[in-house]
């Protein structure tokens, strides 16, 4: 009898490596949204969502430039949502972040 264990043979090591790759692939698939976040897609047919997206960009730029603080940016976004819904009709949810 040889002194080599069954687990030390190349076939067992290749099998263990394949199991490791399978587990890593399963984890990557389960957490694919965490690893590769998707940008929210705004429907082109929804004019309210497009209006909110445009106004949110301007409000975020003012906040980044220091023209307004975070509290005012939140207030402006809620007012922009009300304005877009009043002008174009109520349909979309809150503005994109």
């Amino acid at each position: 009898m040889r002194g080599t264990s069954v687990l030390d043979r190349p076939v067992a090591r290749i099998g263990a490596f394949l199991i490791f790759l399978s587990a890593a692939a399963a984890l990557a698939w389960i957490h694919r949204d965490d690893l590769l976040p998707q940008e929210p897609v705004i429907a082109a047919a929804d004019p309210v969502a497009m209006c909110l997206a445009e106004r949110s960009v301007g409000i975020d730029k003012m906040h980044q430039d220091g023209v307004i603080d975070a509290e005012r940016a939140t207030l402006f976004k809620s007012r922009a949502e009300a304005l877009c819904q009043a002008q174009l009709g109520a349909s979309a949810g809150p503005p994109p972040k």
Side-chain angles (χ1 to χ4, degrees), residues 51-96:
C51 174
L52 287 172
E54 291 172 11
R55 294 189 183 273
S56 291
V57 169
I59 294 168
D60 289 338
K61 176 127 176 62
M62 287 192 303
H63 178 61
Q64 288 174 352
D65 292 344
V67 177
I68 58 174
D69 59 0
E71 186 177 320
R72 290 220 186 256
T74 305
L75 176 66
F76 287 0
K77 284 185 180 183
S78 68
R79 288 182 179 174
E81 179 181 1
L83 176 69
C84 289
Q85 287 180 355
Q87 287 178 343
L88 302 169
S91 63

Side-chain angles (χ1 to χ4, degrees), residues 1-83:
M1 199 170 170
R2 289 177 28 192
T4 304
S5 171
V6 174
L7 297 177
D8 288 334
R9 294 184 182 164
V11 173
R13 291 177 185 250
I14 291 171
F17 184 68
L18 291 175
I19 291 171
F20 168 75
L21 285 179
S22 298
L27 281 173
W29 179 257
I30 290 169
H31 292 285
R32 65 187 176 274
D33 292 334
D34 298 330
L35 297 172
L36 304 169
Q38 301 280 329
E39 289 291 325
V41 178
I42 299 173
D46 189 2
V48 175
M50 295 299 291
C51 174
L52 287 172
E54 291 172 11
R55 294 189 183 273
S56 291
V57 169
I59 294 168
D60 289 338
K61 176 127 176 62
M62 287 192 303
H63 178 61
Q64 288 174 352
D65 292 344
V67 177
I68 58 174
D69 59 0
E71 186 177 320
R72 290 220 186 256
T74 305
L75 176 66
F76 287 0
K77 284 185 180 183
S78 68
R79 288 182 179 174
E81 179 181 1
L83 176 69

